[in-house]
Amino acid sequence: MSHTKQTSVKLVLLGEAAVGKSSLVLRFVSNDFQENKEPTIGAAFLTQRCTIGSKTIKFEIWDTAGQERFANLAPLYYRNAQAALVVYDITKPASFIKARRWVNELRENANKNIIIALVANKYDLVLSEESGEEVDGARKVSIEEGQNLADEEGLLFFETSAKTSYNVNEVFMAIGEKIPDNA
Ligand code: GDP
């Protein structure tokens, strides 16, 4: 019998509607993607275990749909969260401004030691299908803007694609690595 420790981690997703929050969770939990996803109504709750070195982390993931309309309910979701993904869409500058606001709100109201990952999603949209290189002008939020916010606020930072699965597992693994053993 193995004696790997299992640690439960409450993780919430925050970010403007349609940036790909549910899609990131679907990729992480089911390794799947849906091109025209039905929006999540209310809140979705999913769990996923993953092993990091000698630790087993059980992510308890809260995908908080409808937060734009019910912003005053958000504290119910992020209260007691040990981790948060703040997601934006690199082709939508307004979603980056919104992400900055979510980071500020978490810093003011969430657990002091919450682990926050800033997630710049839809990376696939800025790549050329032929060359695989970035298409000039396709990206509307630069890597530097994301990285600077992450550096200022002490956040993990990843550019991801829920569509191609680029960096999706890496986000969760990086959070898992920062969870203390005795959590
Ligand atoms: P949410 O409202 O933030 O949960 O966003 P959804 O996960 O519902 O995604 C909104 C739309 O964006 C859906 O049509 C998804 O298929 C699409 N989408 C999500 N992630 C990506 C991505 O990484 N790349 C592309 N091209 N589309 C994505």
Side-chain angles (χ1 to χ4, degrees), residues 42-93:
F45 174 74
L46 288 157
T47 64
Q48 174 71 6
R49 281 186 182 74
C50 68
T51 305
I52 300 162
S54 61
K55 298 188 275 201
T56 299
I57 304 271
K58 181 187 175 199
F59 284 106
E60 300 173 346
I61 304 170
W62 294 83
D63 182 6
T64 57
Q67 34 175 292
E68 301 306 305
R69 273 178 300 159
F70 305 110
N72 52 341
L73 290 180
L76 290 176
Y77 291 111
Y78 61 68
R79 197 169 56 196
N80 303 326
Q82 286 116 304
L85 305 193
V86 176
V87 185
Y88 63 97
D89 171 345
I90 60 170
T91 70
K92 298 267 155 57

Side-chain angles (χ1 to χ4, degrees), residues 18-37:
V19 293
K21 297 179 296 296
S22 305
S23 298
L24 289 162
V25 176
L26 184 66
R27 175 59 78 190
F28 177 57
V29 171
S30 307
N31 196 20
D32 193 11
F33 179 75
Q34 292 168 8
E35 198 66 57
N36 290 301
K37 250 189 56 29

